[in-house]
Amino acid sequence: MNKIFKILIVAVLALSTFGCFQGAPKKKPPIHLIKNMDTQGKVKPYRASNLFENGSGMRMPVEGTVARGLLKDDEAYYFGKTSTGDFVKKSPVTFTTAVLNRGQDRFNIFCVPCHGELGDGKGPITNYKYPIPPTSYHDDRLRNVPDGELFNVVSNGIRNMPSHKEQIPVPDRWAIVAYVRALQRSQNAKLTDIPANQQQNIK
Ligand code: HEC
């Protein structure tokens, strides 16, 4: 082997080991000879694109598109309304003991600060000059409003009451409606609501 050849081998070895300064910071992107599909031209959200007439890379969803899992096709359940837009008289959710317990739990978190534990409108907020006193549930008008209307008040608020649809999911809103109904009965109980054999114990 001649001398030059040996030097060449040493030089190539040295270069391949230290020559690239692996790990050293570089300003330019690395040379990438064979790209395969490592980098591809693609449209990213909000980028312009010449392909479409309006110059936007993003496309409008086809009219009537519904995101997966967000189809609210049950008017009664999701909005408390019938197909003609009236409030449903009876809740589409059956008021079981479990539903009532859940309703009590949620009511105590979300409604008590304003409406009070009994729903008489005397929650702690009344000590802090809330501009409009929260309504008591215990009058004939509210006893007779359809379940769907109560659901709507919780969902969208009413006049000075804020909406709660962002913080309370639909099933919990119905559970709260169930509990409001229980509160209304509890504050308006008649002697005949008590079993006959217990009635004489009540004075
Ligand atoms: C921030 C205080 C506040 C909270 C929290 C609140 N309410 Fe109210 N609510 C009010 C006020 C104030 C009114 C009276 C609104 C008015 O007439 O201007 C009201 C009115 C109502 C009414 C009567 C609606 C009508 O037809 O007149 C119902 C029913 C009701 N609230 C239910 C609830 C329930 C159930 C919750 C819990 C999910 C709740 N509210 C949470 C303040 C509140």
Side-chain angles (χ1 to χ4, degrees):
M1 224 184 277
N2 69 36
K3 211 171 166 190
I4 297 179
F5 195 59
K6 274 186 192 156
I7 292 173
L8 213 71
I9 288 180
V10 171
V12 165
L13 269 178
L15 258 179
S16 62
T17 326
F18 308 108
C20 303
F21 298 105
Q22 292 234 327
K26 296 183 199 76
K27 290 242 163 75
K28 288 187 188 156
I31 297 165
H32 200 150
L33 282 182
I34 303 168
K35 293 200 168 60
N36 289 335
M37 294 170 77
D38 291 350
T39 51
Q40 303 170 51
K42 58 180 168 284
V43 177
K44 293 197 168 166
Y46 298 103
R47 287 223 177 133
S49 164
N50 296 331
L51 189 63
F52 300 110
E53 223 171 49
N54 68 355
S56 161
M58 291 207 291
R59 305 286 73 208
M60 290 302 287
V62 176
E63 211 172 307
T65 306
V66 177
R68 199 179 278 216
L70 291 184
L71 180 62
K72 294 183 175 164
D73 59 346
D74 185 340
E75 291 276 317
Y77 182 68
Y78 288 103
F79 304 103
K81 290 187 178 166
T82 63
S83 50
T84 54
D86 301 321
F87 290 120
V88 290
K89 272 229 119 342
K90 280 248 146 289
S91 155
V93 174
T94 316
F95 295 167
T96 59
T97 312
V99 167
L100 273 171
N101 286 341
R102 176 72 180 168
Q104 180 178 37
D105 179 75
R106 298 292 99 180
F107 182 87
N108 287 344
I109 293 170
F110 290 108
C111 319
V112 163
C114 292
H115 288 276
E117 267 180 275
L118 298 177
D120 54 8
K122 299 194 180 119
I125 204 162
T126 51
N127 298 328
Y128 298 94
K129 302 199 177 106
Y130 195 76
I132 307 287
T135 315
S136 163
Y137 306 145
H138 311 303
D139 65 20
D140 278 338
R141 180 182 67 88
L142 281 176
R143 279 184 211 119
N144 293 317
V145 293
D147 287 350
E149 190 168 336
L150 289 181
F151 178 84
N152 185 61
V153 170
V154 179
S155 306
N156 300 311
I158 184 166
R159 295 179 296 269
N160 291 287
M161 174 179 149
S163 141
H164 284 72
K165 63 167 164 290
E166 298 305 331
Q167 55 271 59
I168 310 178
V170 169
D172 285 349
R173 279 182 245 155
W174 284 115
I176 288 175
V177 170
Y179 188 66
V180 168
R181 290 304 189 204
L183 280 178
Q184 287 179 322
R185 285 197 69 177
S186 77
Q187 299 304 300
N188 189 36
K190 296 174 195 66
L191 198 58
T192 46
D193 290 335
I194 298 162
N197 61 358
Q198 302 280 324
Q199 285 179 10
Q200 73 277 11
N201 299 333
I202 307 281
K203 288 256 151 56

